[in-house]
Amino acid sequence: MQELTHYINGAMVEGTSGRFADVYNPALGEVQAQVPLASKAELDAAVAAAAAAQPAWAATNPQKRARILMKFVDLLNRDMDKLAEALSREHGKTLPDAKGDVQRGLEVVEFCIGAPHLLKGEFTDSAGPGIDMYSMRQALGVVAGITPFNFPAMIPMWKFAPALACGNAFILKPSERDPSVPLMLAELMTEAGLPDGVLQVVNGDKEAVDAILDNETVQAVGFVGSTPIAAYIYERGCANGKRVQCFGGAKNHMIIMPDADMDQAADALVGAGYGAAGERCMAISVAVPVGDETADRLIEKLIPRVEALKVGPYTAGDDVDYGPVVTGAAKANIERLVQSGVDQGATLAVDGRDYSLQGYEDGYFVGPHLFDNVTKDMDIYKTEIFGPVLSTVRAQSYEEAIGLAMDHEYGNGTAIFTRDGDTARDFAKRINIGMVGINVPIPVPLAYHTFGGWKKSGFGDLNQHGPDAFKFYTRTKTVTARWPSGIKEGGEFSIPVME
Ligand code: NAD
């Protein structure tokens, strides 16, 4: 059995707590490795070493720091296949999707190569008589990131790349369900030239997280994961005087207007609803067709597409649409929610229950489910299922449809499919959700914009990546300077002559 490690001071380091968690191969339903769960003492030691390394890193000029990130991008491209394979083996997503996971992180690293420009501050010449004023962005010190299982490459990079580019040292506490890729990323950062101790990967569970939240040296915490944990971390981190941003769960609605291209909408829904087995915070989990006729046409188009989805292990190559869910517990939770939908009266238009894959009977595969006639009071509507389950809620008008999305407690992403510019514009303007797609089902902003949800999907003031990340990982200092007037002529170099 493979025993994983932490990554401390530029090397893989064995855990000393004696506590471990199982890491599965979800396609086989087998334990493939054990990851150490750090004690408070291990976490505190990693933070102390990071604090010792951070001043020299902050004093390194921003362009030299950026060059290390530039080299890191080369190494990510060099090792793309290896990273994707390790990612698929622990997470279960298909290889092309695993490469997308690495790629979407890599793009944020590329954005962070522009750090010298983003950090250069502001200057006012002659703010008063003989007075100049300037503002500079300074690193916070040691900061930490706590990340979820569903993007084990992308989200750690979203966190550590901007933090390091700003001159911070970083403690990464990745998900204990797929920790191998974060460890590989840290190794690549060392190979790219990052000084030891500046990026520490501490594996663990609640004990390590609480130790981060209570450690006085840690200045800021960025979290991505489920909403109850996001709320907990935000509260405890803020109470301890830290800067905190937490991104939580989602229930993303896609509104389909009667004038939408129904084939385009159905294709979009299938990709956005079932891709990565629905284990994406930007997955569409609720379809809201407007009018019964639209709903009937949409369901008619969706059923054959959903039934045709190919579910399988990543080793089957490109011929698979999505893989298993991450653990047996995740699978059981999805099955429980599907059953509640049936019991509470929704129509199961495509029934993925009792799905089994020959040769992979113990894997955590879940067949695709499509619900029709879902209503607001049902658990499958209120809860984030995080599985290959799409719920259709029929709305009788545009106002009812937008109201549904606006009343839901989550506000991560949403989309509208229509040919009418006025409706799309009204939707984008009024909706109380952070990321909006117009005929685009998964509107994940690119690296140079910011990513973040509203309502129970985001806690804190600033978003992830883009310019917001540089604000989150620095604090501003403003200097007002007046120099007494002096002799400006300086030395004389030409031979003095009489006037
Ligand atoms: P999770 O909340 O179970 O775990 C996230 C992190 O918190 C992990 O590192 C985990 O070790 C830690 N953690 C878990 N329980 C804890 C506890 N009791 N105390 C302290 N720390 C704890 O989330 P997950 O299952 O890994 O990820 C899926 C969730 O993440 C979904 O809800 C999804 O919507 C959300 N997500 C959100 C975004 C976003 O940007 N909004 C992006 C990706 C995933």
Side-chain angles (χ1 to χ4, degrees):
M1 175 76 55
Q2 189 194 3
E3 194 175 305
L4 298 170
T5 62
H6 307 294
Y7 192 82
I8 308 288
N9 298 335
M12 299 289 182
V13 170
E14 282 181 14
T16 56
S17 71
R19 293 197 307 126
F20 290 89
D22 291 335
V23 179
Y24 289 86
N25 177 330
L28 301 175
E30 285 173 0
V31 177
Q32 59 172 321
Q34 292 218 300
V35 61
L37 302 174
S39 63
K40 179 172 168 20
E42 286 174 291
L43 184 281
D44 288 343
V47 172
Q54 192 267 335
W57 176 242
T60 305
N61 83 49
Q63 210 164 357
K64 283 191 180 157
R65 294 199 302 254
R67 281 189 192 132
I68 292 173
L69 294 177
M70 225 181 281
K71 175 77 182 154
F72 179 58
V73 168
D74 288 345
L75 300 177
L76 288 173
N77 281 315
R78 183 195 71 187
D79 287 0
M80 181 64 84
D81 290 341
K82 208 164 104 183
L83 289 161
E85 209 275 333
L87 199 159
S88 292
R89 193 167 4 103
E90 284 184 358
H91 177 284
K93 63 175 77 173
T94 64
L95 279 175
D97 207 27
K99 285 183 187 168
D101 191 327
V102 179
Q103 178 65 26
R104 272 301 182 105
L106 181 157
E107 287 168 13
V108 169
V109 182
E110 284 175 335
F111 172 72
C112 294
I113 292 168
H117 173 69
L118 289 155
L119 292 173
K120 70 183 189 294
E122 295 171 334
F123 184 83
T124 302
D125 172 49
S126 300
I131 297 177
D132 299 327
M133 193 176 285
Y134 56 97
S135 299
M136 47 189 167
R137 297 206 152 273
Q138 294 190 319
L140 301 177
V142 180
V143 300
I146 300 156
T147 55
F149 82 86
N150 67 326
F151 282 98
M154 178 183 90
I155 295 180
M157 286 192 262
W158 284 12
K159 301 283 177 210
F160 74 65
L164 297 178
C166 292
N168 300 286
F170 196 87
I171 307 293
L172 173 64
K173 205 304 281 172
S175 170
E176 61 274 45
R177 285 178 245 170
D178 44 15
S180 289
V181 170
L183 290 166
M184 291 163 79
L185 296 176
E187 234 178 352
L188 291 181
M189 282 298 293
T190 299
E191 189 181 341
L194 189 74
D196 293 348
V198 176
L199 173 60
Q200 315 270 53
V201 181
V202 181
N203 282 306
D205 57 2
K206 181 170 165 52
E207 182 171 341
V209 171
D210 287 347
I212 288 171
L213 297 173
D214 294 343
N215 185 299
E216 285 185 4
T217 303
V218 175
Q219 298 295 303
V221 177
F223 170 87
V224 180
S226 59
T227 287
I229 311 297
Y232 165 73
I233 287 177
Y234 190 72
E235 203 173 305
R236 187 156 169 173
C238 289
N240 286 339
K242 300 186 194 314
R243 188 179 286 190
V244 189
Q245 58 172 192
C246 294
F247 301 91
K251 196 80 179 173
N252 303 319
H253 294 54
M254 178 168 134
I255 294 173
I256 302 97
M257 296 300 293
D259 65 351
D261 178 321
M262 223 42 75
D263 284 301
Q264 202 182 63
D267 284 340
L269 273 170
V270 170
Y274 301 92
E279 290 176 321
R280 288 182 183 142
C281 70
M282 288 293 278
I284 295 288
S285 47
V286 184
V288 188
V290 173
D292 277 328
E293 200 212 321
T294 313
D296 291 342
R297 282 194 292 143
L298 182 71
I299 292 287
E300 190 188 316
K301 302 244 179 227
L302 278 173
I303 288 174
R305 285 168 166 84
V306 175
E307 283 175 343
L309 283 168
K310 287 173 275 181
V311 187
Y314 76 92
T315 43
D318 290 349
D319 199 31
V320 169
D321 295 316
Y322 72 82
V325 297
V326 69
T327 55
K331 181 177 171 173
N333 189 46
I334 295 163
E335 287 170 348
R336 179 185 61 78
L337 280 161
V338 167
Q339 194 52 47
S340 82
V342 174
D343 295 344
Q344 290 169 17
T347 312
L348 195 50
V350 176
D351 186 351
R353 291 175 294 180
D354 301 327
Y355 182 88
S356 177
L357 194 65
Q358 206 181 355
Y360 294 89
E361 287 79 2
D362 294 334
Y364 308 131
F365 293 96
V366 179
H369 297 78
L370 174 65
F371 276 112
D372 193 4
N373 299 309
V374 174
T375 54
K376 275 170 78 167
D377 52 320
M378 294 178 183
D379 290 339
I380 51 169
Y381 180 72
K382 292 188 283 190
T383 318
E384 181 183 43
I385 302 175
F386 228 52
V389 183
L390 180 65
S391 298
T392 309
V393 182
R394 293 173 174 236
Q396 294 314 312
S397 65
Y398 166 67
E399 284 304 324
E400 189 189 338
I402 190 172
L404 274 168
M406 289 182 73
D407 288 348
H408 205 286
E409 64 171 339
Y410 292 118
N412 212 39
T414 188
I416 188 165
F417 272 59
T418 180
R419 286 191 174 99
D420 182 60
D422 177 52
T423 308
R425 191 166 178 273
D426 179 80
F427 182 74
K429 217 171 163 72
R430 279 169 58 197
I431 196 77
N432 55 359
I433 289 173
M435 292 170 283
V436 182
I438 296 172
N439 298 315
V440 172
I442 306 190
V444 176
L446 290 176
Y448 40 92
H449 287 263
T450 70
F451 180 110
W454 291 13
K455 299 186 276 182
K456 290 276 169 58
S457 298
F459 300 75
D461 305 315
L462 293 166
N463 280 351
Q464 305 186 87
H465 67 64
D468 272 13
F470 282 76
K471 292 188 185 133
F472 184 73
Y473 289 116
T474 55
R475 50 170 74 93
T476 307
K477 185 182 283 173
T478 303
V479 179
T480 306
R482 173 162 56 198
W483 292 94
S485 60
I487 300 163
K488 300 191 180 63
E489 285 76 14
E492 284 282 349
F493 295 99
S494 54
I495 190 160
V497 293
M498 295 296 281
E499 293 278 312

